[in-house]
Amino acid sequence: MADSLSDTLKKLKITAVDRTEDSLEGCLDCLLQALAQNNTETSEKIQASGILQLFASLLTPQSSCKAKVANIIAEVAKNEFMRIPCVDAGLISPLVQLLNSKDQEVLLQTGRALGNICYDSHEGRSAVDQAGGAQIVIDHLRSLCSLTDPANEKLLTVFCGMLMNYSNENDSLQAQLINMGVIPTLVKLLGIHCQNAALTEMCLVAFGNLAELESSKEQFASTNIAEELVKLFKKQIEHDKREMIFEVLAPLAENDAIKLQLVEAGLVECLLEIVQQKVDSDKEDDITELKTGSDLMVLLLLGDESMQKLFEGGKGSVFQRVLSWIPSNNHQLQLAGALAIANFARNDGNCIHMVDNGIVEKLMDLLDRHVEDGNVTVQHAALSALRNLAIPVINKAKMLSAGVTEAVLKFLKSEMPPVQFKLLGTLRMLIDAQAEAAEQLGKNVKLVERLVEWCEAKDHAGVMGESNRLLSALIRHSKSKDVIKTIVQSGGIKHLVTMATSEHVIMQNEALVALALIAALELGTAEKDLESAKLVQILHRLLTDERSAPEIKYNSMVLICALMGSESLHKEVQDLAFLDVVSKLRSHENKSVAQQASLTEQRLTVES
């Protein structure tokens, strides 16, 4: 075999130059045979012989053996070590020229050769790009799209594979294909050839690659991709095939227009069916499919229109089915159910309807099942849902009397930042403008001490921010001396002073209002802490900083006036020459600021 291969390669060198057609064909057949028996070894010998350089001259449109040569190149390019030598031998340009052939076999072998050279090869892709190969292939796909004979379908499959290898994991080449209009063509292919498994698979992999790119979503949204994928999905029985479709659906469903199209095409019904079929199975494939299906369902609910369509005023069968997931014993379904409720709870109307129809009790039962060694993702999701439901004013009192604060406080000992974050957000929403609840929580020493501890969670900015905001909210909504005393005793004052320097105006404001209430109601109790937290210096900085928002300047001056009742803080105000700063603000463009500056100036003058 080895000897005859060496002879063939020598003979091929001579005949390639002499162009003796018959012996040339014979040599090429021998090479193909040798490649079929041992591809790697034969490819190494081909490379060592220097014959690759001669192949370029055998790929001309006039050559009678061009299809066989392209076939040999396709076979050798299956080996990674042969791809760059094929590029260096100048084979790309003549191969791309052959894409203009009318001969189906030539097109097939050329497509294979280019596809294999591009596989995982930057050099191969770059050469095909420079030679303009992609556009010719896309034009072929367009013109051959409607022909359903087996030979044509095989060619279409090869061309799709070639484009995939050409652009895989390469954003700029994927963007180029999108600009060339490949997406509508591939969607049309999928629709016409959905009976052909190999071609369908190629289209799906290509979609999966392209759908990751943001720029592709608009093009996908303008086709009937949703309809085609759902149609295909309904036909699939095998797990692997469904998994492939899921891989395309997930990135596409991030686009709101496509979410709605998928809902209208009936994807939700398919997903609900999967959940029903797989919920009790312990087979790994079924567990995976249940997770993928329910996750996708939650994703579809992230679009406002698609969510509202499925809610159907709380009467929708989809909404009802999702509700039934919450009491389930399957953690994945509990999670998806709670996340779905959180997504349905994105407008007041839905929230009010759900609270009136007993959803809060279901979520509290779910949380109860996860207090001890619970599932963190389920805890997080259920708290997210409760937080969203607590946003409408009308829901707060109902949720408070249903015992939501007690249910939420059971998670105060959690060490998981995502759970801590949602717990804080839920409590903050619940006490908004609810004086009694704010006072009750604000006198809860365990809660306040935990908040003070979390105010120092430097590694978790979200938890730190929410703890500060809840501390401030307890004071602002309760306006209670007892709450202020509890917060002073727990060491919370310094955090409220620091919060006044936050980069977020809303948080600065909340802090200043809470501090003004402290100064008005319990200045004696808080005096030392306000001093050691350097509050007066911070207020001076806020008033002199031109970047401070008008409401920050306004509330800082209100706070200065409130601090005058303390001898030591009053002295600090005098020492820092606040009068100069305040008198300048009398000409501030904001009327409220200018007015407050006049009042503050009078107060400071009287007190000095």
Side-chain angles (χ1 to χ4, degrees):
M1 155 85 187
D3 292 345
S4 65
L5 179 57
S6 304
D7 294 345
T8 300
L9 289 167
K10 279 178 195 156
K11 196 172 172 188
L12 191 53
K13 273 190 173 176
I14 299 158
T15 49
V17 177
D18 295 353
R19 291 297 176 100
T20 329
E21 297 291 338
D22 291 350
S23 42
L24 192 56
E25 291 275 351
C27 290
L28 295 172
D29 285 336
C30 283
L31 271 191
L32 282 167
Q33 222 174 339
L35 283 162
Q37 284 172 349
N38 189 332
N39 192 316
T40 310
E41 197 182 313
T42 307
S43 295
E44 283 167 348
K45 293 215 159 107
I46 289 174
Q47 188 188 2
S49 71
I51 200 91
L52 275 180
Q53 277 71 12
L54 293 174
F55 281 168
S57 65
L58 300 176
L59 289 170
T60 58
Q62 299 75 32
S63 163
S64 63
C65 56
K66 51 189 178 282
K68 268 183 190 159
V69 176
N71 188 358
I72 290 167
I73 297 169
E75 288 303 317
V76 301
K78 286 177 177 175
N79 302 286
E80 192 181 345
F81 65 86
M82 288 301 285
R83 289 171 200 149
I84 293 176
C86 285
V87 175
D88 293 344
L91 301 181
I92 302 295
S93 187
L95 280 169
V96 169
Q97 288 310 307
L98 285 184
L99 288 172
N100 297 306
S101 168
K102 297 278 181 281
D103 182 309
Q104 205 160 27
E105 181 62 15
V106 171
L107 288 174
L108 185 78
Q109 300 304 345
T110 304
R112 285 184 63 234
L114 288 169
N116 290 351
I117 292 170
C118 285
Y119 185 79
D120 237 357
S121 163
H122 170 70
E123 293 76 9
R125 291 168 179 182
S126 194
V128 173
D129 179 23
Q130 280 163 5
Q135 185 66 66
I136 305 172
V137 171
I138 290 176
D139 291 343
H140 275 304
L141 288 177
R142 269 195 206 112
S143 60
L144 301 169
C145 185
S146 310
L147 307 174
T148 53
D149 58 286
N152 186 60
E153 289 195 321
K154 192 176 177 188
L155 181 56
L156 288 169
T157 306
V158 164
F159 278 159
C160 282
M162 183 239 146
L163 289 180
M164 212 171 62
N165 288 353
Y166 170 70
S167 66
N168 188 29
E169 290 182 355
N170 184 312
D171 286 359
S172 65
L173 292 180
Q174 287 178 354
Q176 178 198 74
L177 295 183
I178 291 167
N179 291 336
M180 289 175 177
V182 75
I183 288 173
T185 307
L186 288 173
V187 174
K188 197 172 166 193
L189 267 182
L190 182 68
I192 295 171
H193 302 274
C194 57
Q195 302 302 329
N196 184 306
L199 185 47
T200 298
E201 207 161 301
M202 277 298 175
C203 285
L204 288 173
V205 178
F207 290 148
N209 289 345
L210 296 170
E212 296 291 342
L213 229 65
E214 213 34 61
S215 58
S216 73
K217 308 275 169 72
E218 266 176 54
Q219 272 209 31
F220 274 119
S222 65
T223 69
N224 63 336
I225 181 83
E227 206 180 310
E228 293 298 352
L229 287 174
V230 173
K231 204 159 61 182
L232 192 65
F233 192 83
K234 283 176 178 168
K235 285 185 202 155
Q236 302 306 330
I237 313 156
E238 293 167 55
H239 167 78
D240 291 351
K241 293 278 163 60
R242 297 221 285 219
E243 203 58 35
M244 274 187 90
I245 302 172
F246 272 140
E247 278 168 23
V248 181
L249 288 169
L252 285 180
E254 284 166 12
N255 176 282
D256 282 359
I258 300 175
K259 280 187 183 79
L260 187 59
Q261 290 168 8
L262 289 167
V263 168
E264 286 172 344
L267 178 61
V268 172
E269 288 71 15
C270 300
L271 297 176
L272 289 172
E273 205 174 309
I274 285 177
V275 167
Q276 206 167 351
Q277 287 167 3
K278 314 289 181 189
V279 68
D280 298 320
S281 169
D282 48 12
K283 282 203 295 200
E284 202 169 320
D285 280 356
D286 290 345
I287 292 167
T288 306
E289 212 165 311
L290 177 76
K291 178 173 170 25
T292 314
S294 53
D295 283 351
L296 186 52
M297 179 81 193
V298 171
L299 183 58
L300 291 176
L301 293 172
L302 276 172
D304 288 338
E305 280 187 83
S306 51
M307 177 272 286
Q308 213 48 45
K309 192 176 177 64
L310 294 170
F311 189 66
E312 289 181 63
K315 306 277 186 289
S317 60
V318 173
F319 172 65
Q320 296 301 330
R321 289 279 285 279
V322 167
L323 275 188
S324 72
W325 294 356
I326 294 174
S328 139
N329 289 320
N330 182 304
H331 280 186
Q332 175 56 36
L333 276 197
Q334 293 171 358
L335 171 65
L339 287 173
I341 297 303
N343 286 347
F344 279 126
R346 284 211 317 281
N347 64 51
D348 284 7
N350 292 6
C351 288
I352 292 164
H353 181 281
M354 287 193 278
V355 168
D356 287 347
N357 285 275
I359 189 66
V360 170
E361 288 70 17
K362 286 189 170 69
L363 288 167
M364 281 170 29
D365 288 346
L366 177 59
L367 276 176
D368 244 3
R369 294 160 71 182
H370 287 276
V371 175
E372 299 303 326
D373 309 318
N375 181 306
V376 173
T377 50
V378 174
Q379 292 171 358
H380 179 259
L383 289 167
S384 295
L386 286 171
R387 181 199 175 279
N388 289 1
L389 291 166
I391 293 172
V393 177
I394 196 170
N395 280 357
K396 297 182 196 294
K398 292 175 185 172
M399 290 175 72
L400 287 166
S401 61
V404 173
T405 40
E406 292 76 10
V408 170
L409 285 171
K410 288 177 187 171
F411 294 90
L412 206 51
K413 55 183 183 287
S414 171
E415 293 302 332
M416 305 306 290
V419 174
Q420 296 167 353
F421 180 71
K422 286 297 175 187
L423 172 149
L424 292 163
T426 307
L427 291 176
R428 190 165 61 79
M429 283 302 155
L430 280 170
I431 63 164
D432 192 4
Q434 307 294 311
E436 201 181 314
E439 180 161 12
Q440 205 181 341
L441 279 179
K443 291 192 294 192
N444 179 331
V445 178
K446 266 191 184 152
L447 169 66
V448 174
E449 284 176 350
R450 195 71 160 134
L451 291 183
V452 171
E453 184 189 326
W454 286 340
C455 282
E456 288 169 11
K458 301 265 188 295
D459 297 342
H460 301 287
V463 172
M464 198 162 96
E466 275 293 343
S467 301
N468 278 302
R469 292 189 75 185
L470 183 52
L471 264 187
S472 153
L474 291 170
I475 296 168
R476 287 183 297 112
H477 298 303
S478 71
K479 300 182 177 58
S480 151
K481 290 184 168 209
D482 289 340
V483 170
I484 294 170
K485 284 176 188 161
T486 308
I487 289 171
V488 172
Q489 281 154 13
S490 305
I493 295 296
K494 63 180 181 208
H495 297 300
L496 289 171
V497 175
T498 308
M499 182 181 167
T501 64
S502 163
E503 57 188 337
H504 305 290
V505 175
I506 191 164
M507 285 176 68
Q508 281 186 292
N509 235 341
E510 287 171 359
L512 291 169
V513 173
L515 289 164
L517 282 165
I518 291 169
L521 297 170
E522 275 297 327
L523 186 53
T525 316
E527 186 178 44
K528 281 198 172 59
D529 288 356
L530 293 172
E531 239 178 287
S532 58
K534 307 229 178 319
L535 173 63
V536 174
Q537 288 89 322
I538 284 169
L539 291 174
H540 190 272
R541 204 164 68 230
L542 290 175
L543 287 173
T544 49
D545 189 345
E546 284 172 14
R547 291 165 304 176
S548 292
E551 59 268 41
I552 300 304
K553 290 193 188 304
Y554 177 89
N555 282 324
S556 296
M557 288 188 282
V558 169
L559 182 48
I560 288 290
C561 295
L563 296 176
M564 291 292 106
S566 152
E567 208 175 307
S568 54
L569 292 168
H570 184 175
K571 188 175 181 313
E572 281 188 29
V573 171
Q574 282 179 319
D575 292 348
L576 276 173
F578 265 84
L579 257 172
D580 303 348
V581 183
V582 171
S583 57
K584 280 181 192 156
L585 290 173
R586 273 175 32 208
S587 54
H588 196 279
E589 59 189 2
N590 182 295
K591 272 191 185 154
S592 301
V593 172
Q595 266 176 329
Q596 186 57 43
S598 295
L599 291 172
T600 308
E601 188 182 35
Q602 284 168 23
R603 183 77 197 270
L604 291 175
T605 314
V606 170
E607 299 280 350
S608 60

